Amino acid sequence: YTVTQRSHEFGIRMALGADRGRVLGLVLKQGLRQAIIGVVLGAVAALALTRLMANLLFEVKPADPLTYAAVAAVLVAVAVTACGIPALRASRFQPVEVLREE
């Protein structure tokens, strides 16, 4: 949705000389920043709530670093995929067509 809303901006950037890699990187960087902040805040909240969750866990320590790392890696991988598809679409915009639309 955000990429579609910002298509005019990406068209202007590309018309002024930004290559596809820069547009791709811009969209990925902005999306992944939010995902990493969410993973960090979620890990802090989970560590803070380990005492409450201890009774619900079976054969796993409440503060198991391997589990936290695996969950964080999966969430970041999903975020890369979720940001990557629109980023590829944004990098394929033709500046002339995007600027002509408005």
Side-chain angles (χ1 to χ4, degrees), residues 14 16 30 36-37 58 65 75 95:
M14 293 178 83
L16 292 175
Q30 290 177 346
I36 290 173
I37 289 170
F58 181 71
L75 289 174

Side-chain angles (χ1 to χ4, degrees), residues 5-100:
Q5 294 296 315
R6 296 176 61 191
S7 63
H8 191 70
E9 173 194 344
F10 296 136
I12 291 172
R13 286 179 184 271
M14 293 178 83
L16 292 175
D19 60 345
R20 293 176 190 261
R22 285 210 184 258
V23 172
L24 182 75
L26 175 70
V27 175
L28 278 174
K29 184 174 85 171
Q30 290 177 346
L32 289 178
R33 180 183 311 136
Q34 293 176 359
I36 290 173
I37 289 170
V39 166
V40 169
L41 291 176
V44 169
L47 283 170
L49 297 173
T50 54
R51 290 188 185 107
L52 297 174
M53 296 187 315
N55 295 334
L56 302 173
L57 301 174
F58 181 71
E59 293 186 14
V60 177
K61 293 182 284 184
D64 184 31
L66 183 61
T67 303
Y68 280 95
V71 169
V74 168
L75 289 174
V76 170
V78 169
V80 167
T81 304
C83 294
I85 294 169
L88 285 173
R89 192 174 67 230
S91 70
R92 292 186 184 138
F93 285 148
Q94 296 298 322
V96 174
E97 292 176 15
V98 173
L99 296 175
R100 200 177 292 167

